[in-house]
């Protein structure tokens, strides 16, 4: 019997048809004018916001994921050329597809959100739609816009704030805005969203607690930026703080308050089994505060998730997709093995010998056991298996899985990090309870090995977040946040220099070094043999941060491939102002 899949119906499909949803973004088309005049009831308006949960994020799901995970040292591919490996070695160039696709996807989210905020909500209210319901739709759009700017700021640092796409079309020569103003802009949107979103809503739609969680994430980034004394005096003054240090303290307190509100609200909770997060039958489960709503059972481009491509082979998916050439890196895999939490490792990576009774149900064995013989380990997270495994959700090119973008476990770990604040360790009772809650779930399949933490250090949190959010775009943003106040540590980690002063450090980054791990073939080496080893032609990564006083990250002569990717070459061609000095945003 097929189960019902929870997802947000893309009402724009009913309103305009799948293909014509694109015309929402065409500022000169007659369709745009007709759409603006069509919002006569709340269903029309919620149809427009439903579109924000899927199509605009389509390439974010793949391109941003690959960029962030490669830069974080979490992925391995054979060879030393190609987009993914050169991204891992910080040698990416401006014409890479992933760079262009990520930029375009995130600004697509912003453009559609802008129309809802500027036009559709106003039109709906004028047409008699209840104002509070219309404001809730505006809050959804502001949530999405803030989330997109969070990614843009993490990837490119200084980026243009586009709050009216029509003006941008008339004058496309737009310089970037300062990183701190992009942060403030996103904060303002999320404050609005946390006030006007609903307490509860249709499964898959964001709520007040979703906005609180996303706001906590941005406050945490801002607190780290303040720890490095980077905010300008006008930003500090605008936020009623006397110094960067005071601003950091304020933000940490806000993070704790927001996370506590989410926990005490009770609407979201962690699933007891980590593996169950990555099954289509559990789409929009209690742990997901925000997810990209890919639609089960369809093949329409833009509404599908192709992440079954990561599968060990095509047999596993019933010949839908698979045989992926992206593997977990040596360093990431070693972190899973050394940590010892079986449930989380099984849900994240496909270790030889592990059996899964819920995928491979179409096979003669009725389940799937990871074969022995590969030298590298495939990813398991986001791989859902065959059509039978998913009750019909997975089809060619589409897993049907909602991609979680903000989970309850992050709420717990953000609270712990905020309790740590500027210290190097904490034994705060609430922070310990939340930290241990996440770790206990990770050990649910070998609970006898779980040892509750009695103290949390910065490195403990860093490792825990890397393990918990592998392939979820998070660890790279953690590295960038840490670079705001501890650049030397991040440079040494990314350039694999920490081991030079501490031979036992768990923070190595061999990037594209090959390895062999197979517990069935090499039990005496605990699964390892001849690992890690440099690939032929390998050149060590050279991660740099050289920002002369008074300069900016994209300036000629500045070198910071930590704080920013190159702007997409096609966009620089059409807007040469992109590479100019960032300007202040006028919040008045």
């Amino acid at each position: 019997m097929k189960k019902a899949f929870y997802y947000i119906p893309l009402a724009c499909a009913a309103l305009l048809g799948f293909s014509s949803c694109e015309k929402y973004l065409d500022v000169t088309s007659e369709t745009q004018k007709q759409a603006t005049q069509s919002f006569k009831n709340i269903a029309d308006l919620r149809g427009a916001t439903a579109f924000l949960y899927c199509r605009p994020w389509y390439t974010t799901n793949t391109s941003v994921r690959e960029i962030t995970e490669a830069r974080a040292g979490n992925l391995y591919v054979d060879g030393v050329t190609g987009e993914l490996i050169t991204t891992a070695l910080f040698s990416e160039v401006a014409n890479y597809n992933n760079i262009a696709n990520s930029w375009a996807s995130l600004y697509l989210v912003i453009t559609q959100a802008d129309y809802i905020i500027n036009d559709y909500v106003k039109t709906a209210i004028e047409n008699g739609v209840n104002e509070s319901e219309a404001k809730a739709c505006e809050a959804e759009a502001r949530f999405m816009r803030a989330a997109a700017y969070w990614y843009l700021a993490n990837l490119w640092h200084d980026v243009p704030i586009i709050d009216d796409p029509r003006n941008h079309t008339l004058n496309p020569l737009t310089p970037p805005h300062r990183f701190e103003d992009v942060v403030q802009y996103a904060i303002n949107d999320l404050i609005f969203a946390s006030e006007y979103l609903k307490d509860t809503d249709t499964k898959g739609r964001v709520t007040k607690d979703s906005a609180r969680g996303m706001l906590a994430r941005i406050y945490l980034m801002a607190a780290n930026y303040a720890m490095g004394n980077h905010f300008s005096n006008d930003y500090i003054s605008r936020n009623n703080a006397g110094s960067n240090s005071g601003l950091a303290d304020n933000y940490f307190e806000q993070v704790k308050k927001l996370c506590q509100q989410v926990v005490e609200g009770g609407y979201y909770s962690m699933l007891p089994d980590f593996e169950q997060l990555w099954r289509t039958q559990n789409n929009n489960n209690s742990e997901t505060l925000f997810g990209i709503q890919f639609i089960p059972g369809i093949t329409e481009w833009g509404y599908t998730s192709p992440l079954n491509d990561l599968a060990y082979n095509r047999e596993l998916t019933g010949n839908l997709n698979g045989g992926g050439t992206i593997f977990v890196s040596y360093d990431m895999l070693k972190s899973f093995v050394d940590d010892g939490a079986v449930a989380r490792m099984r849900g994240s990576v496909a270790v030889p010998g592990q059996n899964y009774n819920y995928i491979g149900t179409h096979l003669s064995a009725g389940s799937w056991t990871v074969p022995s013989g590969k030298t590298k380990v495939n990813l398991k997270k986001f791989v859902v298996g065959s059509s039978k495994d998913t009750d019909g959700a997975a089809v060619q090119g589409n897993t049907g899985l909602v991609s979680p973008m903000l989970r309850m476990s992050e709420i717990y770990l953000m609270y712990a990090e905020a309790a740590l604040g500027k210290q190097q360790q904490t034994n705060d009772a609430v922070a310990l309870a939340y930290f241990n809650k996440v770790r206990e779930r990770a050990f649910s399949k070998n609970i006898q090995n779980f040892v509750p933490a009695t103290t949390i250090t910065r490195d403990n949190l860093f490792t825990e977040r890397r393990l918990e959010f592998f392939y979820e775009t998070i660890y790279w943003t953690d590295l960038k946040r840490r670079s705001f106040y501890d650049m030397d540590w991040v440079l040494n980690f990314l350039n694999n220099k920490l081991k030079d002063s501490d031979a036992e450090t768990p923070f190595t980054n061999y990037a594209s070094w090959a390895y062999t791990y197979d517990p069935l073939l090499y039990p005496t080496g605990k699964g390892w043999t001849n690992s890690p080893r440099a690939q032929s032609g390998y050149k060590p990564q050279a991660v740099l941060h050289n920002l002369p006083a008074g300069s900016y990250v994209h300036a000629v002569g500045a070198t910071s491939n930590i704080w920013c990717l190159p702007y997409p070459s096609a966009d620089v061609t059409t807007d040469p102002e992109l590479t100019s000095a960032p300007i202040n945003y006028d919040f008045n």
Side-chain angles (χ1 to χ4, degrees):
M1 178 180 177
K2 289 190 176 182
K3 297 183 179 180
F5 298 109
Y6 287 113
Y7 66 93
I8 299 171
L10 290 185
C12 70
L15 186 64
L16 297 173
F18 274 117
S19 61
S20 61
C21 280
E22 296 291 343
K23 294 181 181 178
Y24 264 41
L25 310 173
D26 181 356
V27 299
T28 61
S29 71
E30 189 64 27
T31 304
Q32 179 63 38
K33 297 175 185 177
Q34 292 170 357
T36 305
Q37 296 166 4
S38 70
F39 298 100
K40 299 185 182 301
N41 55 59
I42 192 60
D44 290 344
L45 195 54
R46 279 171 69 85
T49 59
F51 179 63
L52 285 172
Y53 287 83
C54 186
R55 170 63 187 88
W57 294 99
Y58 176 70
T59 52
T60 297
N61 186 50
T62 50
S63 295
V64 171
R65 201 177 299 282
E66 289 182 4
I67 288 172
T68 52
E69 295 299 312
R71 289 189 131 221
N74 290 346
L75 301 181
Y76 168 88
V77 293
D78 286 322
V80 293
T81 59
E83 279 202 22
L84 197 61
I85 190 57
T86 49
T87 299
L89 297 175
F90 289 77
S91 301
E92 62 272 290
V93 294
N95 65 353
Y96 275 5
N97 288 329
N98 273 349
I99 289 177
N101 290 340
S102 298
W103 179 272
S105 176
L106 294 166
Y107 273 110
L108 187 60
V109 175
I110 290 164
T111 300
Q112 176 65 8
D114 283 342
Y115 284 131
I116 293 169
I117 294 163
N118 297 338
D119 298 331
Y120 303 165
V121 168
K122 179 181 177 182
T123 298
I125 292 172
E126 290 173 350
N127 287 337
V129 173
N130 178 274
E131 184 171 355
S132 65
E133 291 188 337
K135 286 287 188 183
C137 291
E138 180 179 347
E140 284 183 281
R142 287 183 181 273
F143 176 97
M144 297 296 178
R145 187 168 70 176
Y149 275 122
W150 179 79
Y151 276 110
L152 285 164
N154 271 293
L155 293 174
W156 285 279
H157 204 69
D158 304 319
V159 297
I161 295 173
I162 308 296
D163 44 21
D164 189 336
R166 282 170 296 237
N167 287 344
H168 183 63
T169 300
L170 295 172
N171 180 23
L173 299 180
T174 306
H177 289 94
R178 298 181 304 172
F179 172 84
E180 65 179 46
D181 289 345
V182 179
V183 170
Q184 183 71 70
Y185 193 84
I187 287 171
N188 293 351
D189 270 350
L190 288 168
I191 289 172
F192 182 99
S194 64
E195 180 177 353
Y196 287 101
L197 280 169
K198 297 181 179 183
D199 291 318
T200 63
D201 206 331
T202 305
K203 281 184 178 292
R205 286 190 184 263
V206 293
T207 64
K208 285 183 185 291
D209 280 343
S210 305
R212 290 171 182 138
M214 189 63 72
L215 183 55
R217 182 190 277 182
I218 296 180
Y219 276 151
L220 197 56
M221 178 172 69
N224 292 157
Y225 199 65
M227 282 176 66
N229 294 312
H230 296 300
F231 279 116
S232 65
N233 288 334
D234 66 289
Y235 185 99
I236 293 168
S237 175
R238 188 166 65 240
N239 284 276
N240 301 313
S243 64
N244 268 289
S245 180
L247 188 61
D249 291 336
N250 293 346
Y251 280 145
F252 284 132
E253 286 302 313
Q254 286 297 317
V255 173
K256 289 197 296 182
K257 177 182 176 181
L258 289 163
C259 291
Q260 196 76 332
Q261 283 181 289
V262 176
V263 173
E264 293 174 354
Y267 188 62
Y268 299 99
S269 60
M270 287 202 317
L271 293 186
D273 184 350
F274 183 85
E275 286 185 52
Q276 294 301 313
L277 282 162
W278 316 106
R279 299 190 64 194
T280 57
Q281 289 88 341
N282 299 321
N283 276 349
N284 295 317
N285 55 71
S286 63
E287 184 160 346
T288 304
L289 283 76
F290 166 46
I292 303 176
Q293 301 292 314
F294 296 111
I295 304 178
I298 72 165
T299 58
E300 186 79 26
W301 189 90
Y303 303 93
T304 59
S305 173
L307 295 183
N308 248 354
D309 287 346
L310 300 168
Y312 184 95
N313 57 25
R314 296 182 69 88
E315 181 185 48
L316 169 59
T317 66
N319 210 36
L320 296 179
N321 298 86
T325 57
I326 298 176
F327 303 92
V328 60
S329 70
Y330 164 79
D331 305 286
M332 186 72 250
L333 180 60
K334 189 172 186 299
S335 291
F336 279 118
V337 173
D338 291 349
D339 182 59
V342 171
R344 185 161 58 192
M345 183 167 68
R346 278 174 49 90
S348 302
V349 295
V351 172
Q354 290 293 323
N355 175 265
Y356 298 86
N357 63 8
Y358 57 87
I359 54 177
T361 59
H362 59 288
L363 301 173
S364 58
S367 64
W368 183 63
T369 299
V370 186
S372 181
K374 277 192 179 182
T375 61
K376 285 90 59 180
V377 171
N378 286 87
L379 280 66
K380 163 62 178 66
K381 189 179 281 188
F382 292 103
V383 173
V384 301
S386 67
S387 179
K388 183 178 180 182
D389 298 335
T390 59
D391 297 331
V395 294
Q396 188 68 44
N398 183 16
T399 65
L401 181 71
V402 168
S403 287
M405 304 296 278
L406 177 63
R407 296 198 282 113
M408 193 63 194
S409 56
E410 187 178 354
I411 301 299
Y412 289 124
L413 294 179
M414 285 195 295
Y415 183 98
E417 187 171 348
L420 179 71
K422 300 171 187 171
Q423 308 167 89
Q424 289 304 309
Q425 64 180 45
T426 183
N427 57 4
D428 178 274
V430 177
L432 281 167
Y434 290 170
F435 182 80
N436 284 322
K437 187 178 183 71
V438 175
R439 286 196 55 73
E440 185 174 13
R441 197 259 300 266
F443 279 88
S444 61
K445 286 183 168 55
N446 60 329
I447 196 65
Q448 70 279 6
N449 294 338
F450 169 62
V451 179
T454 56
T455 300
I456 305 170
T457 68
R458 192 168 301 281
D459 285 351
N460 292 154
L461 269 169
F462 224 63
T463 299
E464 189 65 21
R465 287 176 62 89
R466 185 181 196 181
L467 293 164
E468 179 71 13
F469 305 119
F470 167 64
Y471 214 62
E472 295 181 60
T473 76
I474 296 298
Y475 190 57
W476 170 250
T477 67
D478 289 351
L479 285 166
K480 179 167 178 174
R481 287 194 295 113
R482 188 162 183 167
S483 77
F484 290 151
Y485 62 88
D486 195 359
M487 180 62 76
D488 287 345
W489 188 96
V490 176
L491 284 173
N492 283 326
F493 166 72
L494 290 172
N495 289 315
N496 204 22
K497 300 294 186 184
L498 292 176
K499 61 180 175 46
D500 295 347
S501 56
D502 179 6
E504 301 301 317
T505 182
F507 295 104
T508 57
N509 185 35
Y510 285 96
S512 71
W513 283 41
Y515 64 90
T516 301
Y517 180 77
D518 191 326
L520 300 179
L521 289 179
Y522 308 104
T524 58
K526 298 183 179 180
W528 300 102
T529 184
N530 191 26
S531 301
R533 55 188 181 274
Q535 298 189 71
S536 176
Y538 169 76
K539 294 181 180 179
Q541 60 270 39
V543 189
L544 306 167
H545 182 75
N546 177 23
L547 192 60
S551 188
Y552 54 97
V553 293
H554 290 278
V556 175
T559 307
S560 179
N561 50 8
I562 290 183
W563 280 11
C564 64
L565 291 167
Y567 293 126
S569 55
D571 289 86
V572 173
T573 299
T574 57
D575 179 11
E577 290 293 311
L578 260 182
T579 57
S580 62
I583 61 173
N584 297 356
Y585 180 80
D586 184 1
F587 285 97
N588 295 321

